[in-house]
Amino acid sequence: MLLQIGTLIAATSLVQLANGFFNTFLSLRLTLEDFGPAATGIVLSAYFVGFTIGAVSSGGVIQRVGHIRAYTAFAGLVVVATALMPLWTSAVVWAACRAVIGIGCVGLFVTTESWLNAKAMPDQRGRIFSTYMVGTFVALAIGQLAVAGLTIQAAGAFQVVIALFALALVMVSTTRAEAPGLKPEAKLRYGELSRQAPISVVGCVVSGIVTSAFYALVPAWMLSNGAPQQTIALFMLVAVLGGLAFQVPVGRLSDRNDRRLVLAGLAVGYAAAVILLVAMPRSLLAVLPVAALLGGFMSTLYPVCVAHALDRMPQDRVVAVSGRLILVSGIGSALGPLLGAQVMARLDINGLLYFMAAISALLAALAALRIRQRAAPEQMSERPFAIIDPMTAPISQEPEATEADGSPRPLPA
């Protein structure tokens, strides 16, 4: 079983390596293609549109055909769409391909995480999912470094992405055991989450906007202003590593305090870091520490929102809540490049940064207002803060089953 789990984690790390590299590379490539702000924003947002669609529909695919066949189908979608992009350079074609890639990627993440959830013993889940998420962040970081070594104008970058997804497909499709099917999920009525945890919903939208705008548009701006590829790769690498470094300390702080207060602090910290980036001289040594702060504050907004929502909702709706929040975050992520590209076209990078700072400050104000209106839960949820990357799928860990004596009941192998 451990070999199967290790294979799944390794394969998904390859997928995230390809994904992190491709997202940054495409931002740079679109700058050279000169599609214009509107078309560029549409192409960059298309991935998140597909991601949102896939987050809603991929579970049904897994239910019908099983985990391994679903993984094969989703990976095949990504390979085909990626292979088509260098053959037909068109904003419309690239937007369609990116939407398909988004569907395929979220399908891979949902398949992997539901498989891990079904296979892991209750006393191993925390360690397994922590390893999974650390592997995700490390792979995203390595993906940024890969940007420095390839020619942006050539088709080699597309081939690297295809090769990595194909290798992940080979690893998973040759695993020996068939995974169990998904269990039926508790339903969550539309509007219920907004009533119980409105700040989580707003926070996920804001998190999606600032995260997608940052990763999609900042590398393009740096390239258009003559920054070398190595510098861009290093800047993005530091931002990803900053996100990883913040996870544990923010998680501990979130578990011990009102999560809305922590969320407000993160939003203020992000806004302050953005303003600092505007004020700093354009020197690599000066900018890199700010990049780490940006990545740290940005990457922890979403998991704190998820943890707060789970505090407010019944345990049997854990999966439904996580799925609804990834949908909300996906909507925000689709809006980020669209709005950000228009703002940057009119006001340059400073306008984009001020825009991201403004909506983060608005989130902090709403969180403070909510604290005054409603007290924190008397008891925190049994599900504490978890390391979650909003650009993957929801961590669909279900409440642990127990025997009559209260001891954990093993899941079926």
Side-chain angles (χ1 to χ4, degrees):
M1 182 185 298
L2 290 178
L3 180 60
Q4 292 178 43
I5 290 174
T7 299
L8 285 172
I9 292 175
T12 305
S13 295
L14 286 177
V15 169
Q16 285 289 26
L17 193 159
N19 216 19
F21 159 74
F22 198 33
N23 287 338
T24 302
F25 158 77
L26 189 63
S27 174
L28 303 179
R29 179 65 180 264
L30 286 170
T31 302
L32 299 180
E33 296 295 344
D34 196 22
F35 287 158
T40 296
I42 290 172
V43 172
L44 293 172
S45 295
Y47 172 85
F48 302 104
V49 173
F51 194 95
T52 305
I53 294 171
V56 175
S57 59
S58 55
V61 175
I62 300 170
Q63 290 275 18
R64 289 194 302 271
V65 303
H67 286 71
I68 292 180
R69 292 184 182 87
Y71 196 101
T72 302
F74 291 132
L77 285 177
V78 176
V79 168
V80 171
T82 305
L84 287 176
M85 291 181 70
L87 300 179
W88 196 344
T89 305
S90 160
V92 174
V93 173
W94 280 23
C97 288
R98 285 298 285 168
V100 171
I101 291 171
I103 293 172
C105 283
V106 75
L108 292 174
F109 299 142
V110 171
T111 304
T112 299
E113 292 179 7
S114 62
W115 196 335
L116 289 176
N117 185 65
K119 284 294 184 180
M121 300 293 286
D123 60 350
Q124 297 174 335
R125 281 186 189 166
R127 292 192 300 272
I128 288 172
F129 275 93
S130 294
T131 301
Y132 171 75
M133 292 312 304
V134 169
T136 290
F137 275 96
V138 171
L140 286 172
I142 295 173
Q144 306 308 315
L145 287 178
V147 172
L150 289 173
T151 304
I152 299 175
Q153 298 90 336
F158 297 97
Q159 295 167 359
V160 168
V161 172
I162 291 170
L164 289 172
F165 274 93
L167 180 57
L169 174 58
V170 170
M171 293 173 64
V172 173
S173 61
T174 54
T175 191
R176 297 177 62 182
E178 182 78 25
L182 293 176
K183 298 178 180 179
E185 300 176 2
K187 299 298 182 182
L188 181 64
R189 294 192 303 272
Y190 282 95
E192 183 176 357
L193 184 58
S194 298
R195 289 191 296 271
Q196 295 298 324
I199 198 63
S200 290
V201 176
V202 175
C204 285
V205 173
V206 171
S207 171
I209 290 174
V210 299
T211 301
S212 61
F214 177 83
Y215 283 110
L217 299 174
V218 170
W221 172 83
M222 294 177 71
L223 182 67
S224 64
N225 281 269
Q229 283 180 232
Q230 294 80 1
T231 300
I232 298 172
L234 182 59
F235 181 87
M236 301 305 292
L237 168 67
V238 170
V240 173
L241 292 179
L244 177 59
F246 270 51
Q247 297 294 320
V248 173
V250 169
R252 290 176 178 173
L253 190 65
S254 171
D255 287 340
R256 296 172 183 172
N257 298 277
D258 187 337
R259 299 195 202 273
R260 298 168 300 177
L261 182 62
V262 175
L263 182 63
L266 293 174
V268 170
Y270 180 78
V274 168
I275 300 301
L276 185 61
L277 184 62
V278 174
M280 293 293 287
R282 297 291 191 257
S283 162
L284 191 61
L285 290 178
V287 167
L288 286 182
V290 183
L293 291 175
L294 283 172
F297 289 123
M298 182 171 59
S299 69
T300 46
L301 289 172
Y302 179 77
V304 171
C305 289
V306 173
H308 173 63
L310 294 177
D311 287 342
R312 296 289 189 183
M313 300 298 292
Q315 282 288 327
D316 65 343
R317 297 180 186 174
V318 163
V319 178
V321 169
S322 297
R324 189 64 52 81
L325 289 179
I326 199 68
L327 174 62
V328 171
S329 177
I331 294 171
S333 298
L335 291 174
L338 283 173
L339 297 175
Q342 297 301 317
V343 171
M344 197 164 72
R346 289 171 171 77
L347 303 174
D348 200 49
I349 187 64
N350 286 359
L352 174 64
L353 294 175
Y354 284 131
F355 166 71
M356 293 193 294
I359 61 174
S360 298
L362 177 61
L363 172 61
L366 292 175
L369 179 63
R370 190 63 180 170
I371 291 172
R372 292 176 61 88
Q373 292 176 339
R374 186 176 182 184
E378 293 183 4
Q379 287 186 329
M380 285 296 188
S381 168
E382 295 180 1
R383 290 176 50 84
F385 176 97
I387 300 176
I388 306 176
D389 173 16
M391 305 315 296
T392 67
I395 301 295
S396 52
Q397 300 180 63
E398 299 169 4
E400 293 184 5
T402 57
E403 299 287 3
D405 61 358
S407 60
R409 184 170 71 235
L411 294 178

PDB file of all heavy atoms in Angstrom, residues 12-28:
ATOM      1  N   THR A  12       1.948  12.890  -8.932  1.00  0.00           N
ATOM      2  CA  THR A  12       1.326  14.202  -8.814  1.00  0.00           C
ATOM      3  C   THR A  12       2.371  15.304  -8.682  1.00  0.00           C
ATOM      4  O   THR A  12       2.167  16.425  -9.154  1.00  0.00           O
ATOM      5  CB  THR A  12       0.365  14.235  -7.614  1.00  0.00           C
ATOM      6  OG1 THR A  12      -0.584  13.175  -7.757  1.00  0.00           O
ATOM      7  CG2 THR A  12      -0.377  15.549  -7.541  1.00  0.00           C
ATOM      8  N   SER A  13       3.506  14.995  -8.072  1.00  0.00           N
ATOM      9  CA  SER A  13       4.593  15.972  -8.009  1.00  0.00           C
ATOM     10  C   SER A  13       5.107  16.288  -9.410  1.00  0.00           C
ATOM     11  O   SER A  13       5.425  17.449  -9.718  1.00  0.00           O
ATOM     12  CB  SER A  13       5.727  15.451  -7.126  1.00  0.00           C
ATOM     13  OG  SER A  13       5.299  15.313  -5.778  1.00  0.00           O
ATOM     14  N   LEU A  14       5.169  15.284 -10.277  1.00  0.00           N
ATOM     15  CA  LEU A  14       5.550  15.539 -11.665  1.00  0.00           C
ATOM     16  C   LEU A  14       4.534  16.437 -12.362  1.00  0.00           C
ATOM     17  O   LEU A  14       4.890  17.343 -13.121  1.00  0.00           O
ATOM     18  CB  LEU A  14       5.676  14.217 -12.429  1.00  0.00           C
ATOM     19  CG  LEU A  14       6.899  13.348 -12.136  1.00  0.00           C
ATOM     20  CD1 LEU A  14       6.800  12.038 -12.928  1.00  0.00           C
ATOM     21  CD2 LEU A  14       8.181  14.081 -12.506  1.00  0.00           C
ATOM     22  N   VAL A  15       3.259  16.168 -12.104  1.00  0.00           N
ATOM     23  CA  VAL A  15       2.203  16.992 -12.691  1.00  0.00           C
ATOM     24  C   VAL A  15       2.340  18.439 -12.220  1.00  0.00           C
ATOM     25  O   VAL A  15       2.237  19.388 -13.011  1.00  0.00           O
ATOM     26  CB  VAL A  15       0.816  16.429 -12.321  1.00  0.00           C
ATOM     27  CG1 VAL A  15      -0.291  17.412 -12.693  1.00  0.00           C
ATOM     28  CG2 VAL A  15       0.593  15.094 -13.012  1.00  0.00           C
ATOM     29  N   GLN A  16       2.603  18.629 -10.933  1.00  0.00           N
ATOM     30  CA  GLN A  16       2.734  19.991 -10.410  1.00  0.00           C
ATOM     31  C   GLN A  16       4.006  20.666 -10.914  1.00  0.00           C
ATOM     32  O   GLN A  16       4.019  21.883 -11.129  1.00  0.00           O
ATOM     33  CB  GLN A  16       2.740  19.965  -8.878  1.00  0.00           C
ATOM     34  CG  GLN A  16       1.374  19.725  -8.275  1.00  0.00           C
ATOM     35  CD  GLN A  16       0.459  20.925  -8.439  1.00  0.00           C
ATOM     36  OE1 GLN A  16       0.597  21.734  -9.343  1.00  0.00           O
ATOM     37  NE2 GLN A  16      -0.524  21.048  -7.555  1.00  0.00           N
ATOM     38  N   LEU A  17       5.066  19.892 -11.109  1.00  0.00           N
ATOM     39  CA  LEU A  17       6.277  20.455 -11.699  1.00  0.00           C
ATOM     40  C   LEU A  17       5.962  21.003 -13.088  1.00  0.00           C
ATOM     41  O   LEU A  17       6.331  22.132 -13.431  1.00  0.00           O
ATOM     42  CB  LEU A  17       7.367  19.394 -11.767  1.00  0.00           C
ATOM     43  CG  LEU A  17       8.800  19.843 -12.069  1.00  0.00           C
ATOM     44  CD1 LEU A  17       9.797  18.781 -11.595  1.00  0.00           C
ATOM     45  CD2 LEU A  17       9.031  20.093 -13.559  1.00  0.00           C
ATOM     46  N   ALA A  18       5.265  20.185 -13.885  1.00  0.00           N
ATOM     47  CA  ALA A  18       4.890  20.620 -15.237  1.00  0.00           C
ATOM     48  C   ALA A  18       3.947  21.808 -15.184  1.00  0.00           C
ATOM     49  O   ALA A  18       4.071  22.758 -15.960  1.00  0.00           O
ATOM     50  CB  ALA A  18       4.239  19.459 -15.985  1.00  0.00           C
ATOM     51  N   ASN A  19       3.004  21.780 -14.246  1.00  0.00           N
ATOM     52  CA  ASN A  19       2.009  22.835 -14.147  1.00  0.00           C
ATOM     53  C   ASN A  19       2.638  24.163 -13.741  1.00  0.00           C
ATOM     54  O   ASN A  19       2.360  25.216 -14.329  1.00  0.00           O
ATOM     55  CB  ASN A  19       0.940  22.428 -13.125  1.00  0.00           C
ATOM     56  CG  ASN A  19      -0.437  22.892 -13.505  1.00  0.00           C
ATOM     57  OD1 ASN A  19      -0.707  23.214 -14.649  1.00  0.00           O
ATOM     58  ND2 ASN A  19      -1.323  22.945 -12.533  1.00  0.00           N
ATOM     59  N   GLY A  20       3.493  24.129 -12.720  1.00  0.00           N
ATOM     60  CA  GLY A  20       4.149  25.351 -12.275  1.00  0.00           C
ATOM     61  C   GLY A  20       5.023  25.957 -13.349  1.00  0.00           C
ATOM     62  O   GLY A  20       5.036  27.178 -13.561  1.00  0.00           O
ATOM     63  N   PHE A  21       5.749  25.095 -14.051  1.00  0.00           N
ATOM     64  CA  PHE A  21       6.587  25.568 -15.151  1.00  0.00           C
ATOM     65  C   PHE A  21       5.743  26.150 -16.281  1.00  0.00           C
ATOM     66  O   PHE A  21       6.017  27.235 -16.796  1.00  0.00           O
ATOM     67  CB  PHE A  21       7.441  24.408 -15.664  1.00  0.00           C
ATOM     68  CG  PHE A  21       7.965  24.603 -17.054  1.00  0.00           C
ATOM     69  CD1 PHE A  21       8.995  25.485 -17.303  1.00  0.00           C
ATOM     70  CD2 PHE A  21       7.421  23.896 -18.117  1.00  0.00           C
ATOM     71  CE1 PHE A  21       9.475  25.676 -18.590  1.00  0.00           C
ATOM     72  CE2 PHE A  21       7.891  24.073 -19.402  1.00  0.00           C
ATOM     73  CZ  PHE A  21       8.919  24.970 -19.643  1.00  0.00           C
ATOM     74  N   PHE A  22       4.678  25.442 -16.659  1.00  0.00           N
ATOM     75  CA  PHE A  22       3.891  25.834 -17.819  1.00  0.00           C
ATOM     76  C   PHE A  22       3.156  27.153 -17.585  1.00  0.00           C
ATOM     77  O   PHE A  22       3.039  27.987 -18.482  1.00  0.00           O
ATOM     78  CB  PHE A  22       2.905  24.720 -18.169  1.00  0.00           C
ATOM     79  CG  PHE A  22       2.351  24.813 -19.567  1.00  0.00           C
ATOM     80  CD1 PHE A  22       3.111  25.322 -20.604  1.00  0.00           C
ATOM     81  CD2 PHE A  22       1.070  24.385 -19.849  1.00  0.00           C
ATOM     82  CE1 PHE A  22       2.608  25.401 -21.893  1.00  0.00           C
ATOM     83  CE2 PHE A  22       0.556  24.456 -21.139  1.00  0.00           C
ATOM     84  CZ  PHE A  22       1.330  24.971 -22.161  1.00  0.00           C
ATOM     85  N   ASN A  23       2.645  27.354 -16.356  1.00  0.00           N
ATOM     86  CA  ASN A  23       1.919  28.592 -16.071  1.00  0.00           C
ATOM     87  C   ASN A  23       2.823  29.808 -16.216  1.00  0.00           C
ATOM     88  O   ASN A  23       2.436  30.823 -16.809  1.00  0.00           O
ATOM     89  CB  ASN A  23       1.329  28.539 -14.661  1.00  0.00           C
ATOM     90  CG  ASN A  23       0.142  27.603 -14.560  1.00  0.00           C
ATOM     91  OD1 ASN A  23      -0.507  27.299 -15.552  1.00  0.00           O
ATOM     92  ND2 ASN A  23      -0.140  27.121 -13.360  1.00  0.00           N
ATOM     93  N   THR A  24       4.045  29.719 -15.673  1.00  0.00           N
ATOM     94  CA  THR A  24       4.980  30.839 -15.791  1.00  0.00           C
ATOM     95  C   THR A  24       5.466  30.990 -17.229  1.00  0.00           C
ATOM     96  O   THR A  24       5.543  32.108 -17.766  1.00  0.00           O
ATOM     97  CB  THR A  24       6.178  30.641 -14.849  1.00  0.00           C
ATOM     98  OG1 THR A  24       5.704  30.521 -13.509  1.00  0.00           O
ATOM     99  CG2 THR A  24       7.138  31.824 -14.935  1.00  0.00           C
ATOM    100  N   PHE A  25       5.788  29.872 -17.877  1.00  0.00           N
ATOM    101  CA  PHE A  25       6.245  29.929 -19.265  1.00  0.00           C
ATOM    102  C   PHE A  25       5.200  30.570 -20.172  1.00  0.00           C
ATOM    103  O   PHE A  25       5.518  31.405 -21.022  1.00  0.00           O
ATOM    104  CB  PHE A  25       6.565  28.513 -19.768  1.00  0.00           C
ATOM    105  CG  PHE A  25       6.536  28.386 -21.267  1.00  0.00           C
ATOM    106  CD1 PHE A  25       7.589  28.848 -22.041  1.00  0.00           C
ATOM    107  CD2 PHE A  25       5.435  27.824 -21.915  1.00  0.00           C
ATOM    108  CE1 PHE A  25       7.548  28.757 -23.429  1.00  0.00           C
ATOM    109  CE2 PHE A  25       5.397  27.720 -23.288  1.00  0.00           C
ATOM    110  CZ  PHE A  25       6.462  28.191 -24.050  1.00  0.00           C
ATOM    111  N   LEU A  26       3.929  30.192 -20.002  1.00  0.00           N
ATOM    112  CA  LEU A  26       2.886  30.708 -20.874  1.00  0.00           C
ATOM    113  C   LEU A  26       2.718  32.216 -20.690  1.00  0.00           C
ATOM    114  O   LEU A  26       2.480  32.945 -21.660  1.00  0.00           O
ATOM    115  CB  LEU A  26       1.563  29.998 -20.611  1.00  0.00           C
ATOM    116  CG  LEU A  26       0.445  30.304 -21.612  1.00  0.00           C
ATOM    117  CD1 LEU A  26       0.836  29.837 -23.006  1.00  0.00           C
ATOM    118  CD2 LEU A  26      -0.863  29.661 -21.177  1.00  0.00           C
ATOM    119  N   SER A  27       2.855  32.693 -19.454  1.00  0.00           N
ATOM    120  CA  SER A  27       2.798  34.129 -19.223  1.00  0.00           C
ATOM    121  C   SER A  27       3.879  34.855 -20.021  1.00  0.00           C
ATOM    122  O   SER A  27       3.632  35.906 -20.620  1.00  0.00           O
ATOM    123  CB  SER A  27       2.967  34.419 -17.722  1.00  0.00           C
ATOM    124  OG  SER A  27       3.048  35.804 -17.471  1.00  0.00           O
ATOM    125  N   LEU A  28       5.075  34.265 -20.058  1.00  0.00           N
ATOM    126  CA  LEU A  28       6.178  34.868 -20.819  1.00  0.00           C
ATOM    127  C   LEU A  28       5.936  34.747 -22.322  1.00  0.00           C
ATOM    128  O   LEU A  28       6.176  35.692 -23.087  1.00  0.00           O
ATOM    129  CB  LEU A  28       7.497  34.190 -20.443  1.00  0.00           C
ATOM    130  CG  LEU A  28       7.872  34.221 -18.954  1.00  0.00           C
ATOM    131  CD1 LEU A  28       9.179  33.485 -18.725  1.00  0.00           C
ATOM    132  CD2 LEU A  28       7.957  35.649 -18.440  1.00  0.00           C
TER     133      LEU A  28
END
